[in-house]
Amino acid sequence: MAAHLRSEDGWLLVGDQQIVVEVDLGLFLPDTGLWGGVLHNIPGGLASSMRDVEARLRLQTGRVRRIRLLAGPDDEMSVAFIGEGTAPF
């Protein structure tokens, strides 16, 4: 079963850097609350930093959640991630 993804704008916070991002979010296992998605238009260097530094996603609602990079080579513009805590949507 594929997750239904919703597109939103938000802010990616990686260390002391902050950039505006477009993100596709979804709830993957509703019974467990597992959520995640894909961040778009991420500079390669920033994606690489996400492997070593805490990354957080802030949505327009003001909710902030930690995220972990799942995949994506350093030169990718889109990276998959899994969210921590309760889904912010």
Side-chain angles (χ1 to χ4, degrees):
M1 172 190 263
H4 174 70
L5 297 178
R6 58 195 281 172
S7 293
E8 295 193 24
D9 291 326
W11 294 265
L12 177 62
L13 311 155
V14 180
D16 61 353
Q17 298 181 61
Q18 175 176 304
I19 65 166
V20 175
V21 293
E22 192 177 311
V23 60
D24 293 329
L25 294 169
L27 192 58
F28 298 118
L29 295 172
D31 293 343
T32 66
L34 181 64
W35 66 278
V38 179
L39 297 166
H40 299 285
N41 301 320
I42 306 300
L46 191 58
S48 180
S49 298
M50 290 174 66
R51 298 179 203 279
D52 303 319
V53 178
E54 178 180 276
R56 293 171 288 135
L57 178 64
R58 183 175 66 211
L59 299 178
Q60 291 182 2
T61 61
R63 294 181 177 165
V64 179
R65 298 290 187 275
R66 286 181 57 172
I67 60 173
R68 290 180 288 129
L69 185 68
L70 284 179
D74 294 347
D75 61 349
E76 286 286 323
M77 295 286 289
S78 297
V79 293
F81 70 91
I82 194 80
E84 295 183 4
T86 58
F89 48 89

